[in-house]
Amino acid sequence: MQLTEALTQRRSIRAYQDKAAEPELIREIFTLAQQAPSNCNSQPWHVSVVSGEARDKLEAALIERVSNGQKPVSAFKPYDIGFVGDFKERQISCAVELWNAVGIAREDREARTELFLDNWRFFGAPHVAFISMPLNMGEGNALDVGIYLQTLMLLMVDRGLACCPQGALALYPEPVFEIAQVPDDHGLLCGVSFGYADMEADKNKLKMPRLSVDECVTFID
């Protein structure tokens, strides 16, 4: 697959086939992702890939905590602290577009809550990767992890898999550290649910628009 094709095909997939990816394919993807660039070759990321019984056990533990109203915990700055103005409007629009895609009315709080819980069900994906970095690092190091994450997602598209990066999967770290064996001196940045996409699902027919290049990039001669 050409890079341009992978970029345009990639989207956040929120429904998956009941079909696990081959272990050899998963290992190949994560091996290639190690080629992602990083500052001073520091490679600050750690990734735990969870599948099978461990994945199901982790889902149950996370759903229990969310359903019981346990307070989320962020090792690093929360993702949405800067969501004001246009950023907040795009966040709300993203949620509304998803509700519309699956036929949920904005006032249907029960259905919205059930949809929200899908985050911690990994959207039904058979695999989930948890990405962390050392707690003593900061935003500059997180840039490296972001480059790694984009590399990983494009490789998944190239190899026929789909994925959804999720900041929500970093909010309840206790069972993740226990089951996914995250290093004690690390903090979770995000999770990535992945597998084979179910493209018949209404959730996956949604593709969010992007701003034009002129709204985001200034060209100076």
Side-chain angles (χ1 to χ4, degrees):
M1 183 180 290
Q2 295 295 314
L3 175 59
T4 301
E5 185 181 1
L7 277 169
T8 54
Q9 285 192 13
R10 192 216 65 79
R11 66 178 69 182
S12 293
I13 294 297
R14 295 180 174 88
Y16 293 82
Q17 300 177 38
D18 185 16
K19 174 185 176 183
E22 300 78 3
E24 297 80 9
L25 175 61
I26 295 175
R27 186 172 185 85
E28 176 188 13
I29 289 170
F30 283 87
T31 298
L32 286 169
Q34 285 298 122
Q35 297 302 312
S38 65
N39 180 40
C40 297
N41 198 33
S42 55
Q43 304 172 68
W45 53 82
H46 179 272
V47 186
S48 295
V49 181
V50 184
S51 309
E53 292 183 5
R55 174 241 180 262
D56 295 342
K57 182 179 178 181
L58 185 51
E59 176 187 328
L62 289 171
I63 289 294
E64 179 183 9
R65 282 164 171 76
V66 180
S67 299
N68 289 341
Q70 181 171 320
K71 186 177 180 180
V73 177
S74 293
F76 302 104
K77 292 178 181 178
Y79 280 81
D80 60 355
I81 58 173
F83 283 3
V84 296
D86 291 343
F87 304 106
K88 187 65 177 180
E89 288 182 15
R90 289 197 285 271
Q91 180 195 32
I92 294 171
S93 176
C94 183
V96 171
E97 289 295 328
L98 180 57
W99 299 337
N100 291 340
V102 297
I104 294 177
R106 189 166 185 171
E107 63 272 13
D108 190 345
R109 184 177 297 272
E110 183 177 348
R112 284 169 48 194
T113 298
E114 189 64 22
L115 185 68
F116 182 62
L117 286 173
D118 276 349
N119 280 282
W120 294 278
R121 298 186 183 108
F122 317 126
F123 300 116
H127 314 283
V128 57
F130 290 91
I131 301 178
S132 64
M133 74 175 188
L135 285 165
N136 64 348
M137 291 185 171
E139 287 89 344
N141 310 102
L143 284 174
D144 289 351
V145 184
I147 295 170
Y148 171 86
L149 177 58
Q150 174 75 332
T151 303
L152 178 67
M153 292 191 295
L154 291 177
L155 283 166
M156 286 184 177
V157 174
D158 182 60
R159 295 303 196 270
L161 298 182
C163 65
C164 186
Q166 299 170 250
L169 294 183
L171 298 180
Y172 299 91
E174 183 181 356
V176 179
F177 272 71
E178 178 184 349
I179 296 172
Q181 301 177 25
V182 178
D184 290 339
D185 61 345
H186 277 220
L188 291 176
L189 283 167
C190 68
V192 183
S193 298
F194 69 96
Y196 292 99
D198 175 7
M199 294 310 297
E200 297 302 314
D202 290 337
K203 295 177 184 179
N204 291 338
K205 295 174 183 177
L206 173 67
K207 185 172 176 62
M208 296 301 299
R210 289 293 188 265
L211 298 176
S212 71
V213 65
D214 291 318
E215 293 175 278
C216 297
V217 182
T218 301
F219 299 95
I220 302 172
D221 294 326

